[in-house]
Amino acid sequence: MINAEQRKLLHKYVVYDMAVQSLQRDYKVIENLKMSKVYLPILDKLLDDISQECYNSKRLLAKDKIRIVKWEKNSEYFSDLTVATAGEDLVLTYANMALKTQVEKLLINHQDK
């Protein structure tokens, strides 16, 4: 079982991990743009910052023996996250649109810094 603090950290990790994945996909597209030299340094900085935060969150979770086992899309609207803990496995359900919105907010906030 995980406590509230660990659940908060796990959620933070999920959002950061999704942000990294989104940025990596977008990076491939932006490389092919004519103005890629303008956009790539911005994306590189953002990706470095987000990746570091993601790594730190994952490391803190690993200290508590918490890891993500599987991410499974149930439907168009919801996904299940299977999390292994020291005691038992948990299945957490996430709303896809809510996660997408949180990732967008995270990226905008990091960009503004």
Side-chain angles (χ1 to χ4, degrees):
M1 198 67 184
I2 62 176
N3 62 34
E5 186 73 24
Q6 292 168 329
R7 188 176 287 255
K8 187 176 178 181
L9 182 61
L10 178 64
H11 180 71
K12 178 182 174 184
Y13 169 71
V14 167
V15 172
Y16 274 92
D17 187 51
M18 290 188 72
V20 168
Q21 290 177 29
S22 294
L23 288 171
Q24 288 172 339
R25 277 192 302 270
D26 292 350
Y27 197 93
K28 293 174 185 172
V29 174
I30 290 174
E31 282 179 321
N32 296 322
L33 297 176
K34 289 181 183 179
M35 298 292 286
S36 66
K37 288 184 172 132
V38 173
Y39 300 118
L40 287 179
I42 297 167
L43 199 56
D44 281 333
K45 173 79 169 100
L46 196 54
L47 192 55
D48 286 344
D49 292 347
I50 301 293
S51 295
Q52 187 61 44
E53 286 290 329
C54 184
Y55 172 76
N56 291 339
S57 298
K58 186 174 183 178
R59 188 175 49 79
L60 290 172
L61 287 169
K63 276 185 178 178
D64 292 335
K65 297 181 176 142
I66 298 171
R67 63 186 169 82
I68 294 177
V69 177
K70 181 172 53 169
W71 184 265
E72 191 172 43
K73 192 171 182 178
N74 284 350
S75 67
E76 182 180 344
Y77 305 105
F78 296 100
S79 296
D80 282 343
L81 180 68
T82 305
V83 180
T85 65
E88 62 182 288
D89 288 357
L90 299 173
V91 177
L92 305 172
T93 302
Y94 281 91
N96 296 334
M97 282 307 294
L99 277 176
K100 180 179 179 262
T101 302
Q102 290 175 2
V103 168
E104 287 174 353
K105 285 181 183 177
L106 171 74
L107 294 175
I108 290 168
N109 288 341
H110 266 277
Q111 188 179 11
D112 291 343
K113 289 182 181 179

